[in-house]
Amino acid sequence: QTNYFLNFKKEVRNQVYTRILTLCPPTLYGARSPQDLFKASGLTQKWINREISNFDYLIQLNTIAGRTYNDLAQYPVFPWVLQDYTSEELDLNNPAVFRDLSKPIGVVNEKNASAVKEKFENFEDPVIDKFHYGTHY
């Protein structure tokens, strides 16, 4: 599977979009659930077999999940896996090079974790539920 980014003028974009919808391709979003698309893709096995790169694997997962470059709130997600940005050379066999993936990036250090927890505990609004991270651009 290959991903492409196409940028048309509005009039042409609408014509292309309409034409794609009339073709009813089986992989068009909505025709199958993301879970079904993922299962049918064999994506993980291709990645394990090194048939596709880490980038291709992640961008295809993002695409199946409905993420897009066209909306900041749905922009593709790539994991932040390193924590060592000072060493001249990285020893990828050293676990200390990698961050703790069991925690969100916002709480990987104790100072930030405390601030996030305090903000959550002190947030009170009659309409809005408590939340750990806001998405305000």
Side-chain angles (χ1 to χ4, degrees), residues 77-83 98-114 116 132-133:
V77 174
F78 294 90
W80 188 343
V81 296
L82 298 177
Q83 74 173 359
F98 302 97
R99 78 169 184 89
D100 181 354
L101 293 174
S102 70
K103 298 177 182 176
I105 193 66
V107 296
V108 291
N109 70 50
E110 196 52 48
K111 179 184 171 196
N112 288 358
S114 296
V116 167
H132 288 99
Y133 303 102

Side-chain angles (χ1 to χ4, degrees), residues 83-101:
Q83 74 173 359
D84 181 353
Y85 293 96
T86 57
S87 297
E88 291 273 333
E89 210 171 290
L90 290 178
D91 175 5
L92 298 179
N93 293 314
N94 179 0
V97 167
F98 302 97
R99 78 169 184 89
D100 181 354
L101 293 174

Side-chain angles (χ1 to χ4, degrees), residues 2-3 6 9-12 19 30 32 42 50 59 67 70-71 73 83-85 90 96-97 102 112-114 120 126:
T2 304
N3 291 291
L6 305 173
K9 291 184 177 173
K10 188 174 183 178
E11 306 79 39
V12 176
R19 179 67 178 129
R32 294 164 64 183
R50 298 177 185 242
I59 200 66
R67 295 201 162 270
N70 298 325
D71 179 357
Q83 74 173 359
D84 181 353
Y85 293 96
L90 290 178
V97 167
S102 70
N112 288 358
S114 296
F120 178 83

Side-chain angles (χ1 to χ4, degrees), residues 31-86:
R32 294 164 64 183
S33 73
Q35 292 87 348
D36 289 342
L37 286 172
F38 179 68
K39 285 178 188 173
S41 72
L43 201 53
T44 301
Q45 197 58 49
K46 290 177 187 174
W47 178 67
I48 289 170
N49 294 341
R50 298 177 185 242
E51 295 170 22
I52 59 174
S53 69
N54 290 345
F55 176 81
D56 286 332
Y57 181 67
L58 291 170
I59 200 66
Q60 288 183 44
L61 285 177
N62 276 284
T63 300
I64 290 170
R67 295 201 162 270
T68 174
Y69 293 108
N70 298 325
D71 179 357
L72 282 178
Q74 295 300 317
Y75 215 72
V77 174
F78 294 90
W80 188 343
V81 296
L82 298 177
Q83 74 173 359
D84 181 353
Y85 293 96
T86 57

